[in-house]
Amino acid sequence: MEQAVLRHGLPLAGVELAAQLARLAELAAVGRCLGLSALAAVCSCLIAANLVMAPVAHVTASVVAHLAVQPIADGTIRRRRDGRAQAAAALALAALISLPISLLYYVTPALLARLQLPDPVLLGAGEYMPTLVLAVAPGLLQAAALGYLRAWQRLPTASLVIVATTLAYIWLLPRALSAGGLRGAAVAVAVVHAASL
């Protein structure tokens, strides 16, 4: 039992730690490179994004893992290639869920305007959040892939890929900020999610 917990828990902890490290690096880089108004804009957007995306990503991973584990356990799927229909269903689930979340990301700057935030913060949110829509589908596909890999007990490999892409993101982020400002940071998030797939 303890070995199973370690075998599944440590890779998931590594993924969560990498995600938190990426967020901290993003906030530090935005604040250092673009100033306090840009930092306030990103923080405001991330509050809205994390309220929706984090729970949905976890539910997506859990649903996919559960749907994949049952056929593995009862013997209807014995090889990974027999699970192609499951993988396709997981991808479809992630794609369908990404549509309403993308819409919410897109309208977040208008919702933040109702809070009467300062104009520079709203301008930054207007640059960052609509561009962050590009990261929704890859982020949910990543969650679905993690659920699928969890079912097939391949999390250590997946977690290493995610940690490696997080380190690449930390390297890429200052360059993205200097090239594209807040839009560049949002594009970098999407690129890293897509690269980890």
Side-chain angles (χ1 to χ4, degrees), residues 51-73:
L51 284 174
V52 175
M53 188 67 163
V56 170
H58 287 292
V59 167
T60 300
S62 296
V63 166
V64 169
H66 177 74
L67 291 175
V69 165
Q70 188 58 42
I72 294 167

Side-chain angles (χ1 to χ4, degrees), residues 78-147:
R78 290 189 175 83
R79 298 178 307 267
R80 277 183 209 79
R81 70 171 185 246
D82 293 337
R84 286 188 183 136
Q86 285 183 320
L91 294 176
L93 173 69
L96 287 174
I97 292 173
S98 71
L99 294 174
I101 293 173
S102 295
L103 179 62
L104 178 65
Y105 275 31
Y106 191 74
V107 300
T108 293
L111 297 174
L112 290 174
R114 297 230 179 242
L115 298 176
Q116 298 177 352
L117 297 174
D119 286 342
V121 174
L122 291 175
L123 288 172
E127 285 181 37
Y128 182 78
M129 200 64 172
T131 308
L132 196 62
V133 166
L134 298 172
V136 172
L140 287 174
L141 290 172
Q142 181 186 61
L146 284 173

Side-chain angles (χ1 to χ4, degrees), residues 1 16 27 30 41 50-51 61 75-76 94 135 143 145 149 161 170 172 183 190:
M1 174 75 170
E16 288 301 318
L27 294 175
V30 165
N50 288 335
L51 284 174
T76 56
L149 292 169
V161 168
I170 291 170
L172 173 68
R183 284 189 180 103

